[in-house]
Amino acid sequence: MNTKPIGIFDSGIGGTSIWKEIHSLLPLENTIYLADSINAPYGSKGKDAIINLSIKNTEYLLEKDCKLIVVACNTATTNAISFLRKTYNVPFIGIEPAIKPAALNSKTKAIGVLATKGTLTSELFYTTSSLYVHGHKVIEQVGDGLVELIEMGRIDTKEMRALLKTYLKPMLDANIDYLVLGCTHYPYLMPLLLELLPKHIKIIDSGEAVARQTKAVLEKHDLLNLQHTTSKNQFYTNGNPKILKGILNDNVDVNYLDF
Ligand code: DGL
């Protein structure tokens, strides 16, 4: 059981930012990463569509005998994880925007959250925000178009810069000191964000926390792989394998999947 893989899925290549954190914390774990790029972006779809896509991804990973599933997508987590947990008998780890550390540490009491429409309009996001946001100004911004450009590999481009400048302006006007990246694609925008934002603004995401939580849940269920052999990491996409391979920056095999 313990050598079975961890399954990880996202609407596309963004969840590899989470795969990297998990692989670095748990290098012995075998993994299967599924990029449903053909259906990206999830963020502009309705809740039912996001649940149906999450079911399809989960069932694929369960057929591959995964012992735990990481929903490496804020949009799928905030819309579908409670359904997945009720329906399937494996542990699920999800990811949500890191509102809590931002709210606890903000000095200006103004926080920016960049995420998809699906995440920002979800009940789970609303519930988590209400727990931690007390008297803060929260500038929520839908990152329309960002996922599409990242999926095409057009990251350091004029059009990306122009979109980011537009999205960051209201946050800068509100004097934020924390920017929460609420989409697993956005860590790939870090070099541009660092260039566009004043240095005192901290940019945070939930990637490391998800890796720590994955470890804790594997420990709790006695599922950690303790065999000291090199891990097997498989990547599948129904989009362009070259783009997925490029973003992984690693010597890995990426397979096209008609899925
Ligand atoms: N990477 C995803 C997220 O964390 C989804 C982006 C999308 O497909 O819209 O929200």
Side-chain angles (χ1 to χ4, degrees):
M1 179 70 179
N2 293 20
T3 56
K4 286 183 181 182
I6 296 174
I8 303 170
F9 77 81
D10 179 39
S11 62
I13 62 176
T16 55
S17 61
I18 306 302
W19 176 83
K20 287 175 185 173
E21 299 285 356
I22 291 174
H23 184 60
S24 127
L25 186 69
L26 298 163
L28 301 178
E29 293 296 330
N30 299 311
T31 61
I32 299 183
Y33 183 89
L34 179 62
D36 186 21
S37 290
I38 210 155
N39 291 305
Y42 282 12
S44 51
K45 295 182 166 51
K47 186 175 169 102
D48 287 349
I50 298 168
I51 290 179
N52 286 333
L53 291 166
S54 301
I55 290 174
K56 190 176 72 136
N57 297 333
T58 298
E59 294 195 346
Y60 178 80
L61 292 170
L62 291 177
E63 267 167 39
K64 294 263 178 188
D65 219 11
C66 291
K67 61 183 176 184
L68 169 147
I69 292 181
V70 179
V71 182
C73 174
N74 293 259
T75 312
T77 299
T78 50
N79 286 276
I81 203 162
S82 61
F83 179 89
L84 298 175
R85 285 190 170 129
K86 271 187 250 155
T87 311
Y88 301 99
N89 196 21
V90 284
F92 284 88
I93 309 291
I95 179 162
E96 283 184 68
I99 286 282
K100 181 180 173 183
L104 291 178
N105 295 310
S106 171
K107 300 227 169 14
T108 61
K109 300 281 176 218
I111 301 161
V113 184
L114 188 59
T116 69
K117 182 168 166 233
T119 295
L120 293 174
T121 56
S122 68
E123 259 174 66
L124 190 56
F125 177 74
Y126 176 77
T127 313
T128 309
S129 305
S130 339
L131 275 181
Y132 302 110
V133 169
H134 302 292
H136 299 73
K137 242 193 275 168
V138 180
I139 294 81
E140 297 175 10
Q141 176 65 55
V142 174
D144 267 338
L146 302 179
V147 166
E148 288 91 325
L149 287 175
I150 295 168
E151 285 290 318
M152 288 186 281
R154 282 158 46 189
I155 295 177
D156 193 355
T157 57
K158 255 199 197 152
E159 40 199 334
M160 184 68 89
R161 264 166 224 270
L163 281 180
L164 286 176
K165 275 190 191 157
T166 311
Y167 296 159
L168 296 172
K169 168 106 180 26
M171 302 189 189
L172 294 171
D173 291 347
N175 195 24
I176 62 158
D177 58 355
Y178 274 82
L179 169 62
V180 178
L181 301 184
C183 170
T184 56
H185 282 70
Y186 300 166
Y188 290 114
L189 301 175
M190 201 54 130
L192 290 185
L193 290 168
L194 288 171
E195 189 190 304
L196 295 171
L197 286 172
K199 296 231 172 340
H200 72 276
I201 298 181
K202 296 191 181 58
I203 307 170
I204 55 173
D205 66 67
S206 315
E208 259 184 71
V210 168
R212 283 197 305 273
Q213 178 68 1
T214 303
K215 185 172 181 217
V217 172
L218 287 174
E219 273 166 357
K220 182 174 150 211
H221 293 267
D222 223 358
L223 284 173
L224 273 180
N225 185 10
L226 302 171
Q227 292 198 0
H228 285 262
T229 46
T230 311
S231 64
K232 185 173 169 202
N233 299 288
Q234 303 170 64
F235 295 87
Y236 296 96
T237 177
N238 52 17
N240 184 344
K242 272 196 196 136
I243 293 186
L244 178 54
K245 200 171 164 71
I247 209 141
L248 281 163
N249 231 345
D250 206 343
N251 193 18
V252 292
D253 264 344
V254 174
N255 305 289
Y256 174 74
L257 188 70
D258 190 5
F259 166 75

